[in-house]
Amino acid sequence: MRFVTLGLWLDLNDHMLYHSLPVLHAGRVPQSAAGLFRRLVSSSTSSNNIDINNGGNRADGKINLFGKSQQNIVKVAEEMNLPAYRGRQIYEWIYTKGTTMFQDMANLPQTLQKDLDKKYCVDYGRVMDSQLSIDGTRKMLIQFNGDSKATVEAVYIPEIHRGTLCVSSQVGCSLSCKFCHTGTQALYRNLTAADIAGQYMIAAWLSKDFPRTVNQQPNVSNIVFMGQGEPLYNFRNVSSAIRVLTDKEGIGMAPWRITISTSGVAPLIPRIASELKVGLAISLHSADNDLRSEIMPINKTYPLPLLMDSCREFTRLASPQSRRITFEYVMLDGVNDSDADARRLVDLIQDMPAHVNLIPFNPWPGSIYRSSSLDRVSEFCGLVRNHGIHASVRTPRGDDILAACGQLKSSHDNKKSAEG
């Protein structure tokens, strides 16, 4: 869906990236760090046909333990005729220490390390391309299972008091929102829980959040599902990934630090509060039902009255830390930026705890839209605030790189096609 003004630079040939990976065992660079670096940045030419729902299989036939819950990893151990505590040890190595090589799991017998390596792996995905903006924003193109088609974008946005990671939930998108570059990319498949959580692990490694230390303040502190795809059209895998990310015995991210952004899959919105306990953002972009249907076809299925009812139910079910809904509103010159549009927006959301995030449109090749002027954006924001609704203008990030959602992926794909 939405990397509106984000991006990143990272020189994958720079040997300093290798040396920036943490050392897990004193006195030597661990095999896990070296292996992780090779897997994250090396390319692959193999390709598999991957089912939209199931996410495909690895070419080497190994089963990826990453993305599995502690209960499922304990079950793997028990199937190997091992005591349950061995499964808990493996889980701890994977999620609290960021270890990807079984031979570095020091409290496991060497015979078990070798047995695990024969059948299983710990794989986050590979960074195929990346950029770093002068403002510190990092944008990565990540490939899964060695499938050249299974690539998505993830973006890390550092700020003074937090660092936010923008993750994708699908390869491509089926919604065809007219202002969104990802809408030009056909849906290929859903991401698995491992694919989704893997985006976090890659960013956390590169941000030096692993290995964990006592009372460490993570650089990657927040996650937003605002990347490619509609998260609620992949609810099962998104839910599984969030449970992995928030498990207190593993990664342990607080649920209120995670936000799901949806284009409006109304029936599932209350479950974000009741089951996942995370925050909600609505990709709104118009408070006029007819206009929203024109620029966002999903509105024909879930029109604004139904969507707003679901939002009110969310606020009823949500925890106090997650009740306020963020309404994302891309500013399109002469389309949705009039004073009347601002008044309609106020009328639509004023009866619920809300924050309006106004987003200057970031043009992409072939787009029919232009961004509203900065003066118009400021005036629109003022009109909303004057009615007592929190509103802000998103600060552009990564303007010097391929910033719009899907542009890095399209650039990479075009280069591959040119190479034959």
Side-chain angles (χ1 to χ4, degrees), residues 2-17:
R2 295 159 295 274
F3 292 125
V4 179
T5 55
L6 304 176
L8 108 102
W9 169 93
L10 177 64
D11 185 355
L12 297 181
N13 296 314
D14 188 345
H15 72 283
M16 291 305 293
L17 174 59

Side-chain angles (χ1 to χ4, degrees), residues 196-260:
I196 295 167
Q199 296 170 67
Y200 163 78
M201 294 299 285
I202 289 172
W205 262 99
L206 296 178
S207 300
K208 301 181 181 180
D209 282 347
F210 284 101
R212 298 284 177 83
T213 58
V214 178
N215 298 323
Q216 175 184 349
Q217 295 299 313
N219 292 306
V220 184
S221 61
N222 295 64
I223 294 176
V224 291
F225 284 80
M226 295 184 183
Q228 293 166 268
E230 167 53 60
L232 298 190
Y233 280 168
N234 188 18
F235 187 83
R236 181 179 61 182
N237 291 334
V238 166
S239 299
S240 296
I242 288 174
R243 292 188 180 100
V244 165
L245 291 165
T246 57
D247 185 353
K248 293 179 180 178
E249 296 186 32
I251 294 169
M253 183 172 286
W256 62 270
R257 290 188 175 275
I258 299 175
T259 299
I260 290 178

Side-chain angles (χ1 to χ4, degrees), residues 128-246:
M128 306 301 292
D129 196 358
S130 58
Q131 299 173 351
L132 177 66
S133 171
I134 57 174
D135 63 21
T137 300
R138 290 186 171 188
K139 187 168 188 175
M140 297 163 283
L141 183 69
I142 302 172
Q143 181 186 97
F144 303 106
N145 295 334
D147 181 356
S148 60
K149 295 180 181 179
T151 57
V152 299
E153 296 173 359
V155 178
Y156 173 63
I157 310 107
E159 298 176 89
I160 295 175
H161 300 296
R162 65 179 180 181
T164 301
L165 179 68
C166 206
V167 299
S168 295
S169 57
Q170 296 178 305
V171 182
C173 188
S174 63
L175 295 183
S176 301
C177 298
K178 289 189 176 181
F179 52 83
C180 180
H181 189 270
T182 302
T184 66
Q185 300 168 0
L187 176 65
Y188 179 56
R189 71 163 172 91
N190 284 335
L191 294 184
T192 66
D195 299 336
I196 295 167
Q199 296 170 67
Y200 163 78
M201 294 299 285
I202 289 172
W205 262 99
L206 296 178
S207 300
K208 301 181 181 180
D209 282 347
F210 284 101
R212 298 284 177 83
T213 58
V214 178
N215 298 323
Q216 175 184 349
Q217 295 299 313
N219 292 306
V220 184
S221 61
N222 295 64
I223 294 176
V224 291
F225 284 80
M226 295 184 183
Q228 293 166 268
E230 167 53 60
L232 298 190
Y233 280 168
N234 188 18
F235 187 83
R236 181 179 61 182
N237 291 334
V238 166
S239 299
S240 296
I242 288 174
R243 292 188 180 100
V244 165
L245 291 165
T246 57

Side-chain angles (χ1 to χ4, degrees), residues 331-334 337 360 370-379:
M331 297 294 292
L332 304 173
D333 182 37
D337 63 349
R370 297 179 303 174
S371 178
S372 306
S373 69
L374 294 181
D375 286 343
R376 176 80 291 241
V377 174
S378 179
E379 292 166 359

